[in-house]
Amino acid sequence: MPKPLQAQSVSAVDKAAALALTPVSRETEARLDAYVDLLGQWQTKTNLVAPSTMPQLWTRHIADSLQLLSLAPQAKLWADLGSGGGFPGVVLACALAGVEGARVDLVERSIKKAAFLREAIRVTAAPAVIHNADIGDYVERLDNRIDCVTARALAPLQMLLGFAEPLVKQGTRAMFLKGQDVESELTEATKYWNIEPRIHSSRTGGGGWIVELDRIERRDSSPTEQT
């Protein structure tokens, strides 16, 4: 019998490096192990992450997600837009499992990916709720304030700002994980939005950045395309 994808591809050295960057409790590590095992199984039939990143799964995806917690240590209620394979939403939920009142809303319109997210939450017992819906519908129906809204590898920043604007107006903080093109995305976004971003370099290197915002104001016109 062939070894599962997780055993073939995920590096123990990479895991150790990731946990050195973003230390977690034993309980959280166990939840993350269960999540990684499940992702490896599903990756063979559903493309949840780029296959080339599997050997660096812990640093490229898990530590990259965990670092958000240090920027908002008091946040309990999170919304992850376009959760996909669960980054950063499932990872955040695993880390928040011991925090009273914590919850992560995982917003994903793909039926297949939403099914994976449900199974991930089941096996990890992490405090999350799956919303198999368009982002606009989720935001419109939301009846309580979220502490932080995030997204990773979902859409250009100018579109993310449109999704997050109604939440940020209610006091939510936005934290978007972006790549090397963050400067050009910021330049394009400011054509449509008045923002005062705080830019944080990713702990995991690789040219990654976190764009943090607590104010988003629409200019005269802005992109309205939905994801």
Side-chain angles (χ1 to χ4, degrees), residues 149-211:
V149 59
T150 187
R152 184 176 187 264
L154 173 64
L157 183 61
Q158 64 189 43
M159 292 178 62
L160 294 178
L161 298 179
F163 298 146
E165 179 198 22
L167 302 177
V168 172
K169 282 186 173 180
Q170 298 173 15
T172 298
R173 187 189 314 181
M175 289 194 288
F176 299 127
L177 291 152
K178 304 302 294 183
Q180 296 178 351
D181 294 334
V182 66
E183 288 295 337
S184 61
E185 289 198 39
L186 283 165
T187 299
E188 184 66 18
T190 54
K191 296 177 182 178
Y192 307 100
W193 303 96
N194 291 315
I195 55 175
E196 297 176 358
R198 292 179 292 279
I199 314 299
H200 308 275
S201 177
S202 173
R203 292 188 195 178
T204 61
W209 300 88
I210 301 163
V211 179

Side-chain angles (χ1 to χ4, degrees), residues 120-138:
I121 295 309
R122 186 189 69 80
V123 301
T124 60
V129 177
I130 314 301
H131 298 267
N132 186 196
D134 288 337
I135 293 170
D137 292 340
Y138 163 78

Side-chain angles (χ1 to χ4, degrees), residues 14-86:
D14 182 62
K15 175 184 174 181
L19 294 182
L21 289 171
T22 51
V24 297
S25 67
R26 291 181 182 178
E27 294 79 8
T28 295
E29 182 180 349
R31 290 186 182 91
L32 292 172
D33 280 333
Y35 170 50
V36 168
D37 285 339
L38 182 71
L39 187 145
Q41 296 165 27
W42 279 65
Q43 179 73 8
T44 60
K45 55 185 178 180
T46 302
N47 191 36
L48 298 170
V49 297
S52 62
T53 66
M54 284 298 290
Q56 295 83 38
L57 182 72
W58 280 84
T59 51
R60 286 283 297 274
H61 299 298
I62 292 178
D64 194 51
S65 301
L66 285 171
Q67 66 180 321
L68 294 178
L69 294 171
S70 65
L71 296 177
Q74 304 303 317
K76 293 184 178 182
L77 302 177
W78 291 72
D80 181 26
L81 307 181
S83 294

